[in-house]
């Protein structure tokens, strides 16, 4: 890690002058990866003007040898092509389904998805399940090799075809994707800020349309990052209807559900999912369905805590994957959806509201972005300490749940049920300002920070970074 961002800037600038562009890309990528894996930076650092400018400079420098050489005759069939640049297509994460939704909205157009592969292997088979059979699309994964080889391949592609828009949905550290679009600065490039919990390359790019997909992200980029021309495009999910004849507390006890993978749950935090959910089952005598893959250590902790509290193991139902959270909530007669914590999820929360399932949110100790409270109706119940969650769940009755069901369904219908064009930034200020986020007391935050600086945590952080680098090297080499 450099001593300062200025040191990194000078180092990369020298490398660009010496035409050592591959190393320059790697330095930026590694720096962002280090920041992203540090929990103290999560939801505190969102973008870097310096890093974005360096990526663009690398892209322009690399393109000098391509412009005028790589241009090929434009195929008439490519006149209405939409290009999507992504680091990875995966079974979790809203950006995968967002790409599918954008394609399905224009089934008669040509769509090209280019995957850089920086974030690991893509799940193409999973992605294909979301695409309409009438859609015209192709997927191209950049070849193995160095970062500069991938950048050259991507820029050659962008310079050789005609397209209507470029949609940029890069992972945080993808310096290749951000560098590549520098060569098409005169085209309409739309940056979807989906890596919004951490430092992400591309946030401060010039000559692009910056789109935030939830009120918290819009507000953060507008007020903290100083981006004055960002747009708010609400997340949207096709309406699948509500369960007819739904009866709350039908089983005689509370059935809850959470949908999230390990990256939103297995995070250092004072309220651990693996401890809170067993406590919830002990207090309510109910069932909990978990949708999403968890690590073996997390599953073991849940089993142990259930045993410790004398709770039947069968009352925790683990589903590593579900094609539709919406349908699963109805299938298991879920009474309340407990949003993931410490990192909240966007699309899964919206699916729950769309299915008319009451929602319960967590108020993060310092971040409204990680809380997701602004996505739900005003005055939706949210908790900070586990005792508040337990007391609320024990107080729930069928009439309270029915009332909450009507409210969340109406909220979904109003804001998230249909694809909407760009909202003018000023028109959504009222949506952004409705929810008031309250940070935890400073001593609470200080206590959490202190626990992140222990030797054990630093060793775990080091090991994680090594493993991530090894995975990226193996994927891009073999």
């Amino acid at each position: 890690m450099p001593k300062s961002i200025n040191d990194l800037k000078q180092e990369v600038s020298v490398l660009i002058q010496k035409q050592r562009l591959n190393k320059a890309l790697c330095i930026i990528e590694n720096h962002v990866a280090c920041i992203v894996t540090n929990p103290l930076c999560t939801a505190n650092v969102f973008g870097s003007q310096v890093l974005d400018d360096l990526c663009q400079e690398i892209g322009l420098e690399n393109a000098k040898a391509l412009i005028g050489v790589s241009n090929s005759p434009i195929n008439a069939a490519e006149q209405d092509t939409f290009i999507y640049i992504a680091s990875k297509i995966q079974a979790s994460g809203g950006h995968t389904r967002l790409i599918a939704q954008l394609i399905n909205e224009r089934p008669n157009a040509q769509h090209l998805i280019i995957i850089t592969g920086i974030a690991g292997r893509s799940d193409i088979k999973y992605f294909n399940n979301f695409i309409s059979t009438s859609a015209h699309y192709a997927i191209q994964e950049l070849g193995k090799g160095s970062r500069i080889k991938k950048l050259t391949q991507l820029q050659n592609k962008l310079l050789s075809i005609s397209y209507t828009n470029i949609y940029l949905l890069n992972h945080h550290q993808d310096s290749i994707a951000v560098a590549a679009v520098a060569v098409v600065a005169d085209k309409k490039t739309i940056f979807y800020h989906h890596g919004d919990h951490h430092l992400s390359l591309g946030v401060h790019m010039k000559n692009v349309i910056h789109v935030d997909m939830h009120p918290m992200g819009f507000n953060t980029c507008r007020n903290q990052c100083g981006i004055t021309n960002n747009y708010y495009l609400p997340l949207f999910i096709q309406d699948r209807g509500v369960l007819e004849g739904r009866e709350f507390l039908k089983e005689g006890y509370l059935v809850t559900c959470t949908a999230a993978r390990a990256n939103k749950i297995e995070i250092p935090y004072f309220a651990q999912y693996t401890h809170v959910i067993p406590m919830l089952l002990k207090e309510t005598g109910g069932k909990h369905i978990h949708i999403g893959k968890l690590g073996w250590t997390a599953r073991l902790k849940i089993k142990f805590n259930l045993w410790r509290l004398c709770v039947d193991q069968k009352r925790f139902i683990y589903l590593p994957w579900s094609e539709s959270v919406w349908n699963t909530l109805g299938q298991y007669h879920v009474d309340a959806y407990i949003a993931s914590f410490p990192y909240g999820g966007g699309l899964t929360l919206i699916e729950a509201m769309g299915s008319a399932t009451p929602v319960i949110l967590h108020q993060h100790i310092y971040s409204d972005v990680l809380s997701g409270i602004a996505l739900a109706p005003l005055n939706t119940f949210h908790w900070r300490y586990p005792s508040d969650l337990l007391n609320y769940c024990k107080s729930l009755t069928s009439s309270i749940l029915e009332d909450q069901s009507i409210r969340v369904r109406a909220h979904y219908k109003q804001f998230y049920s249909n694809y909407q064009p760009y909202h003018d930034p000023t028109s959504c200020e009222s949506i952004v300002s409705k929810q008031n986020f309250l940070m935890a007391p400073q001593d609470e935050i200080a206590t959490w920070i202190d626990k992140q600086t222990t030797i054990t945590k630093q060793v775990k952080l080091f090991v994680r970074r090594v493993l991530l680098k090894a995975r990226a090297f193996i994927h891009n080499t073999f």
Side-chain angles (χ1 to χ4, degrees):
M1 287 283 289
K3 293 181 179 179
S4 70
I5 195 68
N6 188 58
D7 288 345
L8 184 146
K9 179 181 179 180
Q10 291 179 0
E11 181 182 3
V12 173
S13 296
V14 170
L15 291 172
I16 294 174
Q17 292 174 5
K18 294 181 178 180
Q19 293 296 300
R20 299 178 63 184
L21 303 183
N22 187 72
K23 186 173 182 180
L25 288 169
C26 289
I27 287 176
I28 295 173
E29 178 185 330
N30 291 335
H31 179 75
V32 175
C34 285
I35 300 298
V36 168
T37 53
N38 189 330
L40 296 179
C41 297
T42 303
N44 281 317
V45 182
F46 300 96
S48 170
Q49 183 74 67
V50 171
L51 296 180
D52 287 348
D53 288 347
L54 288 172
C55 286
Q56 298 273 280
E57 187 177 349
I58 294 170
L60 291 173
E61 190 66 31
N62 189 63
K64 288 180 180 178
L66 305 178
I67 297 175
V69 176
S70 62
N71 289 334
S72 60
I74 296 174
N75 189 321
E78 295 174 330
Q79 291 293 331
D80 194 25
T81 298
F82 295 87
I83 296 180
Y84 308 83
I85 302 176
S87 309
K88 179 182 180 181
I89 296 296
Q90 58 196 54
S92 67
H95 78 284
T96 299
R97 285 194 281 177
L98 174 62
I99 295 174
Q101 289 168 334
L102 291 171
I103 291 174
N104 291 335
E105 284 294 322
R106 306 183 185 95
N108 297 323
Q110 301 292 323
H111 302 273
L112 174 62
I113 305 166
I114 304 176
I115 302 172
T116 66
I118 292 302
R121 300 183 187 279
S122 289
D123 191 341
I124 306 300
K125 184 178 180 181
Y126 169 84
F127 176 76
N128 289 336
N129 293 330
F130 290 95
I131 303 296
S132 168
T133 55
S134 62
H136 304 282
Y137 72 102
I139 300 175
Q140 177 181 338
E141 296 187 74
L142 299 183
K144 307 291 185 181
S146 66
R147 300 298 188 260
I148 198 64
K149 181 179 178 181
K150 287 175 176 282
L151 174 60
T152 300
Q153 185 181 354
L154 179 51
Q155 287 188 320
N156 270 324
K157 190 67 179 178
L158 296 179
L159 289 168
S160 64
I161 65 174
S162 177
Y163 46 83
T164 304
N165 290 113
I166 296 177
Y167 296 96
L168 188 59
L169 300 103
N170 57 285
H171 275 48
H172 313 91
Q173 74 275 28
D174 197 342
S175 54
I176 294 172
V178 177
V181 296
V183 75
V184 291
D186 59 326
K187 299 288 185 177
K188 193 174 182 182
T189 301
I190 302 170
F191 170 73
Y192 275 99
H193 189 191
H194 75 93
D196 45 21
H197 293 166
H198 304 83
L199 167 64
S200 177
L201 294 173
V203 171
H204 289 280
M205 278 191 300
K206 302 178 179 68
N207 301 317
V208 302
I209 297 174
H210 180 117
V211 174
D212 292 298
M213 294 172 285
H214 50 70
M216 307 87 68
F218 174 88
N219 185 56
T220 297
C221 287
R222 175 64 64 90
N223 299 326
Q224 291 183 232
C225 300
I227 301 171
T228 58
N229 59 345
N230 57 329
Y231 286 80
Y232 171 46
L233 181 63
L235 296 164
F236 64 97
I237 292 179
Q238 184 179 5
D239 192 349
R240 300 188 180 187
V242 297
L243 188 66
E244 293 185 8
R246 184 170 194 167
E247 181 182 346
F248 289 103
L249 301 178
K250 180 179 181 179
E251 307 293 337
Y253 49 75
L254 185 69
V255 180
T256 54
C257 176
T258 299
R261 286 168 60 95
N263 63 317
K264 293 188 181 296
I265 286 176
E266 298 177 46
I267 306 294
Y269 195 62
F270 75 91
Q272 285 290 306
Y273 183 84
T274 55
H275 290 257
V276 173
I277 296 304
M279 289 169 55
L280 174 69
L281 296 178
K282 173 70 173 179
E283 293 293 325
T284 63
K287 284 186 179 180
H288 184 80
I289 294 89
H290 180 88
I291 305 171
K293 190 173 182 180
L294 297 176
W296 67 269
T297 55
R299 299 198 304 272
L300 185 61
K301 287 178 182 178
I302 292 172
K303 287 180 177 293
F304 172 76
N305 285 317
L306 290 172
W307 171 81
R308 181 176 60 85
L309 295 171
C310 299
V311 176
D312 188 347
Q313 300 283 337
K314 294 180 180 179
R315 285 162 56 187
F316 179 85
I317 301 173
Y318 175 62
L319 305 175
W321 182 81
S322 171
E323 183 177 346
S324 169
V325 172
W326 191 308
N327 293 340
T328 302
L329 293 172
Q331 177 185 349
Y332 284 88
H333 304 286
V334 172
D335 298 307
Y337 178 82
I338 300 176
S340 58
F341 58 93
Y343 297 175
L347 279 177
T348 51
L349 177 63
I350 292 171
E351 281 194 80
M353 292 192 293
S355 68
T357 302
V359 298
I360 301 172
L361 306 175
H362 174 67
Q363 188 170 43
H364 194 270
I365 57 174
Y366 66 80
S367 172
D368 59 340
V369 173
L370 296 177
S371 301
I373 295 173
L375 290 171
L378 192 63
N379 297 324
T380 296
F381 175 79
H382 51 268
W383 61 279
R384 174 161 284 153
Y385 299 105
S387 58
D388 297 329
L389 172 66
L390 302 182
N391 290 333
Y392 176 75
C393 288
K394 287 191 295 183
S395 71
L396 288 174
T397 63
S398 58
S399 60
I400 293 175
L401 291 169
E402 287 171 6
D403 178 67
Q404 292 295 320
S405 173
I406 294 171
R407 292 182 69 241
V408 296
R409 173 67 180 176
H411 190 73
Y412 160 79
K413 291 291 289 184
Q414 182 178 0
F415 295 109
Y416 307 115
S417 60
N418 294 298
Y419 175 79
Q420 302 177 48
Y422 295 122
H423 282 235
D424 181 80
T426 57
S427 69
C428 65
E429 292 286 356
S430 58
I431 300 174
V432 175
S433 61
K434 279 182 180 178
Q435 305 285 0
N436 294 318
F437 175 78
L438 297 176
M439 292 182 64
Q442 290 187 343
D443 54 354
E444 183 73 82
I445 298 174
T447 302
W448 176 79
I449 291 175
D450 181 64
K451 289 183 177 296
Q452 310 314 309
T453 57
T454 63
I455 294 176
T456 302
K457 288 290 178 63
Q458 294 304 307
V459 170
K460 289 182 178 179
L461 184 59
F462 173 78
V463 172
R464 183 187 177 194
R465 288 172 175 173
V466 170
L467 293 175
L468 288 173
K469 284 186 179 181
R471 184 185 71 173
F473 174 78
I474 292 172
H475 174 71
N476 289 287
T477 305
F478 302 104

